[in-house]
Amino acid sequence: MTHKDQDTHVLDFPGATALQNAGRTEPPDAAVLATARSLLRQAIAADAGHAVPATAAATVVVTPRFGRRRLAACAAAVAAVAAGVAVLPVVGVGSRPAATASAADLFNSMADRAASGSQRSAPYWKTTVKTWVEGDRTHTDDYYLSRNKLVIKTQNGRTVTKKAPPGGTSWSVGNRQVSWDNLDKLPTRPDALRRALSSGAQGAAAAEQTVRQSGELLTDSPASPRLRAALYRVLAGTPGARVTEGVKDGAGRIGAQISWKWSKSFAHSAHNPNWIVRPSDGQLLERNNVREDDAGHITERDTYLYAGPADSVR
């Protein structure tokens, strides 16, 4: 948003113009509107320094004094409720919204937890993945990735070894490949890491590339705690994320689902991705894809039962 877009009157908050231009919507539930009004009344009371009796619809305790801009933001929240808006976006680069406020908060919280993790060097990065594809049977396999090969121990007892391409094991970062030993050389400042991940793409394609490559690094690489934290902070500012709490993964574990809706202009994006994460420790539990025209129709899922260092193939 530039200074030219800012409303200098009553609705002095980012996004006011978009809200004003949204048009008429059906009124919300009376109880919801009453709660919103109560919030505003309490905010006005705190700002003015005197009490306002709470309504029967809700009891709200406001401890800090609200400044004028804080009060305007509260008014914006009430206006959003009145307009039927479920989640207010946070402001991203330029005039585009970043992840929703709840998604940004979740990613930043996970970044804090990831940053406090410990790092252990090991020759393998092991993932135990429960895989399901529509029309096929579920199978659980162990993947042992090293600098020069991938060893797969399948559910039916087979062991498959695949050599890494010339140059060794690597991951896509933007439009280049980064080797195992060079992961620690990636920038951990979120703005610099975003530039690296989105390199070679523009607009919606850059956001899609950033999310996809971040997911691969978080689950399938021995990324350090600092890099993991930086990846989550990059995702906190990536447009399009939506959070749904209390979703079960393919193993029955409950987490928060983070969903993205890709642009329909990309032929390779016929399916939109969902992640299920465990906010308590920042672990990515599952990545699944849903049909573009039916968000409830999962077409494939990879559920991560384990992801971490391993000293040997067992």
Side-chain angles (χ1 to χ4, degrees):
M1 172 176 290
T2 68
H3 66 282
K4 296 180 181 178
D5 300 317
Q6 295 176 0
D7 191 331
T8 58
H9 300 292
V10 177
L11 294 180
D12 182 20
F13 64 95
T17 302
L19 187 61
Q20 288 174 315
N21 293 337
R24 183 185 182 279
T25 60
E26 293 301 316
D29 181 84
V32 175
L33 189 56
T35 300
R37 285 172 176 158
S38 178
L39 282 168
L40 184 56
R41 283 162 57 83
Q42 295 294 316
I44 294 171
D47 190 61
H50 59 78
V52 172
T55 65
T59 302
V60 181
V61 179
V62 181
T63 51
R65 286 178 59 85
F66 280 68
R68 294 297 175 185
R69 295 190 63 83
R70 182 75 180 276
L71 184 59
C74 190
V78 174
V81 171
V85 178
V87 183
L88 286 174
V90 297
V91 177
V93 179
S95 60
R96 298 189 63 191
T100 60
S102 56
D105 290 344
L106 177 59
F107 279 131
N108 283 321
S109 174
M110 292 172 67
D112 292 339
R113 287 170 172 78
S116 64
S118 59
Q119 184 173 9
R120 181 172 74 85
S121 297
Y124 294 95
W125 181 257
K126 177 186 176 183
T127 52
T128 300
V129 186
K130 182 179 181 181
T131 302
W132 173 83
V133 177
E134 191 171 33
D136 200 356
R137 294 182 179 180
T138 301
H139 57 92
T140 302
D141 306 312
D142 293 321
Y143 297 81
Y144 293 84
L145 184 65
S146 72
R147 288 170 171 80
N148 53 24
K149 64 182 177 181
L150 171 65
V151 179
I152 307 171
K153 296 183 73 68
T154 68
Q155 180 174 294
N156 61 12
R158 295 177 60 214
T159 299
V160 179
T161 301
K162 298 182 179 181
K163 290 185 178 180
T169 299
S170 64
W171 291 264
S172 295
V173 177
N175 54 5
R176 65 190 181 99
Q177 296 295 119
V178 175
S179 68
W180 182 299
D181 292 325
N182 284 329
L183 285 175
D184 286 339
K185 298 179 181 178
L186 286 173
T188 53
R189 281 181 46 193
D191 56 345
L193 183 56
R194 177 184 300 282
R195 287 194 297 271
L197 290 165
S198 62
S199 179
Q202 299 291 329
E208 177 177 344
Q209 178 173 289
T210 297
V211 171
R212 186 179 66 252
Q213 293 181 357
S214 295
E216 291 167 357
L217 289 168
L218 286 166
T219 55
D220 302 332
S221 85
S224 68
R226 286 187 64 197
L227 179 56
R228 291 176 183 279
L231 288 165
Y232 281 129
R233 296 199 192 285
V234 166
L235 291 169
T238 301
R242 293 293 183 271
V243 173
T244 305
E245 300 286 352
V247 176
K248 287 186 179 180
D249 70 2
R253 300 170 297 185
I254 297 177
Q257 178 175 283
I258 303 169
S259 305
W260 282 270
K261 187 173 183 178
W262 296 149
S263 169
K264 293 183 179 181
S265 62
F266 296 107
H268 62 285
S269 299
H271 296 83
N272 294 320
N274 294 324
W275 294 4
I276 300 177
V277 301
R278 186 165 54 205
S280 61
D281 59 5
Q283 291 297 308
L284 204 163
L285 303 177
E286 178 176 297
R287 290 189 293 175
N288 63 59
N289 290 325
V290 297
R291 283 176 47 170
E292 194 174 58
D293 57 351
D294 185 356
H297 187 153
I298 297 176
T299 58
E300 57 183 313
R301 67 197 316 162
D302 285 332
T303 306
Y304 291 84
L305 305 181
Y306 176 82
D311 293 321
S312 61
V313 176
R314 296 181 180 179

